[in-house]
Amino acid sequence: MKTISVHEAEGTILCHDITEIVHDKFKGRAFKKGHIISREDIPKLLDLGKEHIYVWELDENTLHENEGAIRIGKAAAGPGLLLSSRRKAKSS
């Protein structure tokens, strides 16, 4: 993980969610961890007050945390166990 200028972020991968807060209207995720920053994202990041962001610095010796969790799950699972991702149910 490294910190870079938002102006240089095109094509990089976010290592964390970025929250957007609009007073009395909205509070939620503007960008999800793992999002690949596009040129169009840069103005929004700047509007959110982000001048620097944390991005993945991947190389052949780095393992993403999600892949690590999958590997641990597969190694720990035995007969009769099924791996699945746990997701929050959306309310309608």
Side-chain angles (χ1 to χ4, degrees):
M1 173 169 58
K2 67 179 178 177
T3 305
I4 63 168
S5 166
V6 168
H7 296 284
E8 300 168 2
E10 185 177 350
T12 61
I13 303 169
L14 279 176
C15 353
H16 58 84
D17 290 352
I18 294 181
T19 301
E20 179 177 14
I21 300 171
V22 179
H23 184 68
D24 290 333
K25 292 184 181 179
F26 176 79
K27 179 180 179 182
R29 187 169 54 199
F31 294 97
K32 183 178 180 176
K33 175 184 83 171
H35 177 78
I36 299 172
I37 303 294
S38 70
R39 183 180 318 184
E40 293 78 23
D41 295 331
I42 293 172
K44 181 162 185 171
L45 288 163
L46 293 169
D47 287 345
L48 292 171
K50 302 296 180 186
E51 294 195 17
H52 294 85
I53 56 174
Y54 290 99
V55 296
W56 291 111
E57 189 173 31
L58 299 176
D59 61 33
E60 67 279 353
N61 297 317
T62 304
L63 180 66
H64 188 279
E65 65 184 304
N66 293 354
E67 177 61 24
I70 291 167
R71 289 183 185 187
I72 290 170
K74 287 179 179 178
L81 293 179
L82 175 67
L83 298 179
S84 67
S85 64
R86 197 167 125 186
R87 301 193 190 272
K88 229 188 218 182
K90 291 185 179 183
S91 53
S92 27

